[in-house]
Amino acid sequence: MNRSEFLQRYHHLRQIDYEADYPLRKTGRAAGVLIPLIDHPDGLTVLLTERAHHLRHHPGQISFPGGGAEPQDNTLADTALREAEEEVGLLRSEVDVIGALPEYRTISGYAMTPVIGFVKPGPVLTIDRNEVADAFEVPLAFLMDRRNHFAHFIERKQQRYPVYFMPWQNRLIWGATAAILRNLSSHLCDD
């Protein structure tokens, strides 16, 4: 899928059924994450990060660049772009923001807004090793193919929740990152 095909499918007018998020008792901490789509001539890829292994929360987990909103952020898109620059050196000027997915609440108390942006191939990344162990690309076609989505169900407070998984090479994309990618796939699927 290329940029033009992505935009055509993403901006359609049909109703989308999103994956259920985690119902929070109070308003979650606002966060913005960036879904950076690298626009290669042979198809789009998604830039993901592996969180640093020394972090207290979610060490080694695969995620999007992003984090909690700060007072200087005017919007959650600003948050996502600021965090992407801090974590992997992806400059705001290198990202063409085209939209966002609905807020996704997490069990850890965040209300994340996934911001979608196109990036030209070959961005020069400068990884902040205090936050990120690695950054890598995964073909969008792989992530959007529901045959690569797996679910495990957990029970919490007498409610059943799916936890999605997407194995990619020697990595496991799971949790909120996988659920957000699954929600994106709802925009792009053919049915």
Side-chain angles (χ1 to χ4, degrees):
M1 176 178 311
N2 62 30
R3 180 181 175 137
S4 176
E5 292 167 329
F6 180 93
L7 288 170
Q8 182 179 16
R9 290 182 185 195
Y10 175 73
H11 290 297
H12 62 64
L13 296 177
R14 67 185 161 97
Q15 182 67 33
I16 301 297
D17 291 324
Y18 292 105
E19 296 301 327
D21 59 2
Y22 188 78
L24 300 173
R25 290 187 192 163
K26 58 182 181 176
T27 303
R29 179 170 181 221
V33 298
L34 181 64
I35 303 175
L37 300 173
I38 311 295
D39 192 9
H40 293 284
D42 59 343
L44 298 170
T45 62
V46 179
L47 178 68
L48 295 170
T49 64
E50 178 182 338
R51 291 175 52 85
H53 293 265
H54 67 270
L55 294 174
R56 186 172 153 199
H57 299 289
H58 312 291
Q61 189 168 349
I62 305 305
S63 62
F64 299 109
E70 298 293 340
Q72 71 269 23
D73 300 329
N74 292 320
T75 66
L76 291 172
D78 288 336
T79 300
L81 293 169
R82 176 185 52 75
E83 287 281 343
E85 187 166 348
E86 290 174 7
E87 291 178 6
V88 297
L90 187 59
L91 300 176
R92 177 182 300 257
S93 61
E94 296 178 322
V95 182
D96 180 16
V97 173
I98 57 102
L101 295 176
E103 177 181 277
Y104 187 88
R105 299 169 299 174
T106 69
I107 195 169
S108 55
Y110 282 92
M112 297 188 309
T113 296
V115 176
I116 302 168
F118 287 105
V119 178
K120 291 179 183 167
V124 177
L125 301 180
T126 305
I127 295 175
D128 178 352
R129 297 291 175 195
N130 289 319
E131 296 190 56
V132 175
D134 194 16
F136 60 97
E137 295 178 39
V138 179
L140 180 67
F142 174 88
L143 295 169
M144 297 300 101
D145 186 340
R146 293 237 169 163
R147 294 173 295 184
N148 298 321
H149 301 185
F150 302 94
H152 173 74
F153 290 87
I154 61 166
E155 199 166 305
R156 185 169 171 99
K157 297 181 183 178
Q158 301 171 342
Q159 291 281 68
R160 194 168 187 230
Y161 299 98
V163 177
Y164 289 100
F165 297 85
M166 298 172 188
W168 168 252
Q169 297 179 347
N170 61 343
R171 304 176 194 268
L172 187 62
I173 303 160
W174 67 280
T177 303
I180 289 168
L181 286 166
R182 191 167 165 86
N183 283 341
L184 180 59
S185 76
S186 295
H187 280 276
L188 307 179
C189 66
D190 290 326
D191 38 276

